[in-house]
Amino acid sequence: MDDLPFSIMGSNFKLNGDPLSGEEDSDSTETRVGISHVRSASFQSRSGSTTPRNRQNSPTHSPRLPPSRFGSFDKFSGDVQYASSFSGFKIFGFLSDHSSDKFKVDKRVKKRAGAVWYQRKRIKGILFLIMLAGLFFFVNWVMLLRLQEQDDRIQEHDSNAVNSNPEYSGNVSSSRISVLGKRKAGRNKWPKGNYGRLLALAAHALAEGESKPEPKDLWQEPVVASSAWKPCADQRNWEPIERNIGYIMVTANGGMNQQRVAVCNAVVLARLLNSTLVVPRFLYSSVWKDVSDIYQEDHFINYMTPDIHIVKELPDNLQSLDLEAIGSVVTDADINKEAMPRFYLKNILPILIKNKVVHFLGFGNRLAFDPLSFELQRLRCRCNFHALRFVPKIQETGALLLQRLRQKEGYAGPLDKHLVGSYAESTMKEKKARSTKAAKYLSVHLRFEIDMVAHSLCQFGGGKEEKEELEAYRAVHFPALSLLQKTTKLPSPEDLRSEGLCPLTPEEAVLMLAALGFKRKTKIFVAGSQIYGGNKRLTALTSLYPNLVTKEKLLSTTELEPFMNFSSQLAALDFIGCTASDAFAMTDSGSQLSSLVSGYRIYYGGGRMPTIRPNKRRLASIFSRNNTIEWRIFEIRVRKAVRQTKHVLTRPRGRSVYRYPRCKECMCWTG
């Protein structure tokens, strides 16, 4: 239990001679005489005293009068009774001089006395409010303790119910059930990486929610606003370039998604530099281990020919050149990430004019999104959404994958023809099948492979063994990051998580889906099945959602055999499965595949292909309270965090057109 926000501390209050302070100030020292001073004041008034007038009437003086500076009370005839006997005597409705002075002094005395009384009352009121607030927080703390104890008893009861009741079988793994309700030292009994308590609550909620309707917007986008955007990147407003300065070669690095971005950037660069593009090739990657072609080469050339010149090979006279020796090889190290067009005009164009060829090695994310002219930006969209089509063997297997996901033959989704081409029509057995609804399925991209986990510098509950394994992986695959980690003070894993910079774990992903309202029977297609930690890490997902499938489960060994040694082709199958789904949930918005999938769904989806984009920073705050938060509150907060990302927004300046195609360069507004 967190400490109280504040505690009540004893304090000494010192307010102008107040008895609580135990001291007297200068004003209280001057106020020790009685009403007899009135006579002295009156005498001085009549005898022309030099005492300033403002000293007699100042409202800031103490309520008691100071001793007379001109004599004692013994010098005057009469006493207090004499002075007071004329205090109310009037002459024609006015006080006499003597009575008037005394009346003014008495008025000051009463005013001072009232001020002191008010100050004391105010102090007492403040003390009372402080004590009341302290009592409130103390009672609140006691109540929270009792609620926590009650919650522990409920968890223990639920765990017993799970063990004894077959209705709950499969909801929670046996390793989770064995620790439900057990007391451990300290309040933080559930490690952040395990979420055992919340997983148990989710299992209970899913079991109870089978008869309840799903939230209305679970499988929907804001249709009216999103459907007003229509694809129009295929519209051309220019002619092919006339002159040819030289040739641009690109050997793209990374996986299928990075290669796709590199190809589109190469097309724009060829147009910018008035050059001919050699069909891009793919660089061998130590991570992806794949140099295969995944896009239809002829379709790419034919579709882009009205925009740029494309050839399959360099001319014979340039093939024999040692490009590195003549300075025509440019690597990613030579170009800043998202470099401006002026960089290429200033630094690359002279090389191209001189040597007639430039070879880019890598070229991932090496062209900025802004500022770029309207037509060049549209060319980029045209390449991504229209020119790149998967090779036939990927399309055929992708169509088979979609058919088994939907559990119905003869049904084609709205994006199928763009993803699998003519194979979408081959699955249509009869026309009447078109009007028959297929089973809905949700796709989830779990970007939790070891490369992502290692690069994030986060921790995921694996302790010392996990730390050593990820450090060893970084040393081999990310040496620059490993060196930076040793030489520079980087943010702690806790800080990274609180800022939303860590990928969601499978446990966090399944809790998000359960909180959003997806029922236990929902079919879930998981992309990126090479999860760090293996099948053990998927236990939380499979226990709460038993209808979870991957391409490895849906396709036979024989059907997958042609792709087994080609990581990019396997990623293409995941791309098809995610893009065509009825709803798509990403766990890391920075993932290239998630960005391309969500953009493709926006471009071709007609406002009916919802994408769940988690606000990881807000979710991290919610998950940090996993030991105490109630499930209903958890549901409300998660739904609010996700709903805020469903707004239909145009592309922010500087952001990817592949992810945010709602802009005038890619799509046309018809609303």
Side-chain angles (χ1 to χ4, degrees), residues 35-36 106 125 201 221 301 333 358 407 442 444 479 530 615 658:
I35 302 177
S36 297
D106 281 349
L201 294 177
E221 275 191 288
I301 294 174
V358 174
Q407 297 178 323
L442 165 72
V444 179
Q530 299 299 320
N615 184 326
Y658 312 125

Side-chain angles (χ1 to χ4, degrees), residues 108-158:
R108 290 206 307 270
V109 170
K110 291 179 181 179
K111 189 173 182 180
R112 292 296 183 188
V116 172
W117 178 86
Y118 175 75
Q119 289 175 348
R120 291 178 179 176
K121 284 291 185 180
R122 186 173 62 178
I123 293 171
K124 290 180 180 179
I126 294 174
L127 286 174
F128 176 75
L129 290 176
I130 293 175
M131 292 177 65
L132 187 62
L135 179 62
F136 169 78
F137 282 105
F138 175 76
V139 172
N140 188 40
W141 177 68
V142 173
M143 291 179 66
L144 286 176
L145 283 180
R146 296 193 64 180
L147 286 173
Q148 179 68 28
E149 292 173 359
Q150 183 180 2
D151 183 58
D152 292 338
R153 289 194 296 271
I154 292 173
Q155 291 175 36
E156 186 172 1
H157 176 270
D158 288 345

Side-chain angles (χ1 to χ4, degrees), residues 108 153 261 267 270 295 297 300 336 341 347 442 471 487 501 562 568 590:
R108 290 206 307 270
R153 289 194 296 271
V261 172
V267 167
Y295 300 111
E297 190 174 278
F300 171 73
N336 292 330
N347 299 283
L442 165 72
E471 285 180 352
T487 58
L501 300 177
S568 293

Side-chain angles (χ1 to χ4, degrees), residues 378-511:
R378 172 162 286 189
L379 181 61
R380 194 181 228 159
C381 297
R382 187 179 303 138
C383 178
N384 181 56
F385 297 113
H386 295 274
L388 297 179
R389 293 287 183 265
F390 293 121
V391 294
K393 75 171 185 177
I394 294 178
Q395 288 186 337
E396 183 178 12
T397 307
L400 186 62
L401 179 69
L402 296 180
Q403 177 183 314
R404 292 176 183 173
L405 277 168
R406 292 165 179 151
Q407 297 178 323
K408 192 169 189 64
E409 293 184 358
Y411 175 85
L415 271 66
D416 287 15
K417 64 179 181 180
H418 305 291
L419 295 168
V420 299
S422 60
Y423 293 97
E425 298 179 1
S426 67
T427 62
M428 306 290 290
K429 302 296 183 183
E430 300 177 1
K431 286 187 177 181
K432 64 180 181 180
R434 295 174 182 266
S435 61
T436 305
K437 286 189 176 181
K440 288 183 178 180
Y441 78 94
L442 165 72
S443 64
V444 179
H445 181 219
L446 278 180
R447 188 63 173 100
F448 203 69
E449 293 91 351
I450 188 171
D451 61 322
M452 180 66 177
V453 171
H455 195 273
S456 69
L457 297 178
C458 300
Q459 293 178 359
F460 303 94
K464 183 179 179 182
E465 182 180 354
E466 174 191 285
K467 183 179 179 181
E468 292 176 351
E469 181 180 4
L470 295 181
E471 285 180 352
Y473 186 91
R474 278 191 290 268
V476 175
H477 299 279
F478 306 117
L481 180 61
S482 182
L483 178 63
L484 184 67
Q485 191 178 11
K486 295 177 181 178
T487 58
T488 307
K489 183 175 176 57
L490 300 176
S492 67
E494 293 76 15
D495 292 337
L496 292 172
R497 185 170 296 279
S498 64
E499 290 297 319
L501 300 177
C502 297
L504 293 185
T505 66
E507 294 91 346
E508 291 170 335
V510 73
L511 286 170

Side-chain angles (χ1 to χ4, degrees), residues 338-356:
E338 297 187 3
M340 298 293 179
R342 62 175 177 270
F343 170 86
Y344 294 96
L345 294 173
K346 179 180 179 181
N347 299 283
I348 304 301
L349 185 59
I351 301 175
L352 191 63
I353 294 174
K354 177 183 177 183
N355 299 332
K356 300 301 180 183

Side-chain angles (χ1 to χ4, degrees), residues 41-57:
S42 176
F43 175 81
Q44 287 291 342
S45 176
R46 288 192 300 269
S47 60
S49 169
T50 59
T51 302
R53 187 73 177 174
N54 60 356
R55 182 167 180 83
Q56 298 177 17
N57 297 329

